[in-house]
Amino acid sequence: NIKIETVTPNRLKIYFDVNKTQKEETKNDSIGKLRVQWLHGAVAKNLKATVNVSFIQTETHFNGYSQFVFDSPLRTYYGESSTIFDASLANNGEAVIRSAFPDCQTAPGMLRANFVSRVFEEGGDFSIDRFQMPYSPYRHYVGLRTPESKNYNHSIETGKTHVFEIASLNALGKAVDLNQVQLKVYKLQWRWWYENDHEDISDYISRNGTLVITDTMLQTKNGKINFGFRIQDENYGRYLVTVTD
């Protein structure tokens, strides 16, 4: 016997208007609005609908800061799909979605939100719509620009002072001043050419052999600040520099 799956085309047009303030640093009591119509234009009133959202991590980029790294190497985000709406549409075929997004405070930086909306007809068939958008789980971002180097693996030379640049931005990529930016420099006590480079770097800094050689607070002005870093010849090795708000 051959099983044949019947694919029913969408008979409903689904509009999901996301509240733009969700992309900014201001908070709002609604995520957005769901609007549904039949394909022939009539209002799809009182139908049951669900909206699920899931997040995946993506690289954080801002215009004018392409040489800065804004993603934390110490964090990894594994998000699951969450239901943010499960109810019936109003008589006008609309519904305001007020559920909060899941907590994403373990994200290394910006995320991509994937929305899946389903609207069910009275007979049981449903129409589906998918779309995605960038999502910022944080109000501010702190980026680090390392000195340029032509050496192997972009390593910097010992015995010289190297200048690192820090940039502080809001979620829209505009410079902001931050009064408490924590700078930490770790020396990782391992020989990178012998170790498995797929191991999570956060596991390394939790080891007893990892040294914190710098731990200080900085203030950015006009969204920027620099700091100098010098390694003596006898202290060569692999270092991790983090800046956090």
Side-chain angles (χ1 to χ4, degrees), residues 45-220:
K45 61 181 181 179
N46 302 325
L47 297 180
K48 177 178 171 56
T50 63
V51 179
N52 284 19
V53 63
S54 60
F55 297 93
I56 60 173
Q57 63 185 54
T58 183
E59 290 188 7
T60 304
H61 298 289
F62 295 103
N63 291 334
Y65 296 88
S66 61
Q67 295 181 312
F68 287 79
V69 176
F70 290 90
D71 295 296
S72 171
L74 305 181
R75 296 181 178 183
T76 304
Y77 181 77
Y78 300 101
E80 297 180 355
S81 179
S82 300
T83 301
I84 57 175
F85 183 81
D86 186 356
S88 296
L89 305 172
N91 288 332
N92 60 0
E94 298 181 359
V96 176
I97 300 175
R98 300 189 182 277
S99 298
F101 282 146
D103 184 13
C104 303
Q105 294 302 300
T106 61
M110 286 281 190
L111 300 173
R112 186 168 69 245
N114 299 298
F115 296 91
V116 178
S117 304
R118 293 180 175 87
V119 181
F120 298 84
E121 302 176 25
E122 293 182 357
D125 290 337
F126 65 88
S127 296
I128 188 170
D129 179 75
R130 297 181 176 88
F131 95 99
Q132 57 184 225
M133 61 170 246
Y135 174 70
S136 173
Y138 306 115
R139 297 181 61 190
H140 301 133
Y141 291 83
V142 183
L144 180 68
R145 179 181 179 181
T146 58
E148 294 184 3
S149 172
K150 296 182 180 179
N151 296 327
Y152 174 74
N153 206 29
H154 303 289
S155 60
I156 59 177
E157 297 182 42
T158 58
K160 295 182 179 180
T161 299
H162 301 274
V163 177
F164 289 71
E165 299 179 48
I166 297 174
S168 55
L169 312 175
N170 65 13
L172 299 178
K174 297 181 180 179
V176 294
D177 293 344
L178 298 178
N179 294 324
Q180 293 191 347
V181 175
Q182 185 178 32
L183 166 66
K184 298 185 78 170
V185 180
Y186 304 85
K187 184 178 182 183
L188 306 179
Q189 300 295 324
W190 52 287
R191 297 181 179 181
W192 65 270
W193 53 89
Y194 293 142
E195 295 281 353
N196 182 359
D197 59 0
H198 296 293
E199 185 171 351
D200 195 330
I201 191 67
S202 62
D203 292 336
Y204 279 114
I205 69 168
S206 66
R207 294 182 180 181
N208 294 331
T210 299
L211 302 177
V212 179
I213 63 173
T214 299
D215 186 355
T216 187
M217 303 301 293
L218 305 174
Q219 294 181 347
T220 59

